[in-house]
Amino acid sequence: READSVLMVTTPELPALRNAAKVLQVMGRLRYPLGRVQAVLNRVRQETSISQRHVQQQLGLPLLAALPDAPDTVEMMVNEGKTLLAVPRNPLTQAIEDLAERLLPTLESPMLAARAGDRVRAAASRRVLPSSGGASAGTTESGRRYAPD
């Protein structure tokens, strides 16, 4: 079964771009429709010598998003057990939100919306309820934190 769309995430370094191009070649040999593939450039620094335009040309894919490199922010969030939503004005947070907004129209497809609904129902079924019957924050089996509605 084929994916409806693929996000190829790579970084702006030549070895990473060469590897991404090799993956695209394999996908082409397997007759995967490359029109369903879009690129996301991760850990982009302003002083990089590889431009976003070069990445698009090298991969032959549209660049859906360029996520800025923010190692200090990511380290702080991981160490504090928070998500990037705790720093809404951070450029990385804003870039991820922009990417999510660009991806939302794909969920408007009835087939994809149904799949998303299945994932939401599955996540809801993993919620932990205390013996008092009220909902509380907890973690899923995979260790992800959640809060009640």
Side-chain angles (χ1 to χ4, degrees):
R1 185 167 183 204
E2 292 179 352
D4 297 310
S5 63
V6 173
L7 295 181
M8 168 140 332
V9 181
T10 188
T11 56
E13 291 98 20
L14 287 177
L17 293 174
R18 279 194 292 270
N19 287 337
K22 288 177 186 177
V23 169
L24 289 170
Q25 288 174 350
V26 169
M27 291 173 81
R29 281 191 227 125
L30 294 173
R31 301 195 193 301
Y32 184 82
L34 296 179
R36 295 182 184 177
V37 182
Q38 297 180 57
V40 174
L41 199 55
N42 195 23
R43 303 194 73 176
V44 176
R45 295 181 310 274
Q46 287 185 354
E47 65 276 357
T48 187
S49 61
I50 299 175
S51 71
Q52 293 178 28
R53 185 173 150 178
H54 177 81
V55 171
Q56 286 180 308
Q57 290 172 342
Q58 180 84 16
L59 299 179
L61 295 176
L63 190 59
L64 186 62
L67 307 177
D69 192 24
D72 295 337
T73 301
V74 172
E75 180 182 0
M76 180 179 68
M77 294 296 100
V78 169
N79 289 340
E80 293 179 8
K82 296 179 181 177
T83 69
L84 287 171
L85 295 176
V87 286
R89 289 194 172 102
N90 184 282
L92 178 58
T93 304
Q94 292 174 351
I96 291 173
E97 287 177 352
D98 289 345
L99 173 60
E101 287 176 10
R102 289 182 185 150
L103 293 172
L104 279 177
T106 63
L107 290 177
E108 292 175 7
S109 150
M111 182 171 45
L112 290 176
R115 288 183 193 162
D118 291 342
R119 286 192 299 272
V120 169
R121 283 188 290 281
S125 71
R126 291 190 298 265
R127 291 181 184 229
V128 177
L129 297 177
S131 58
S132 66
S136 68
T139 58
T140 65
E141 294 170 356
S142 65
R144 290 188 174 159
R145 293 194 50 77
Y146 65 84
D149 295 329

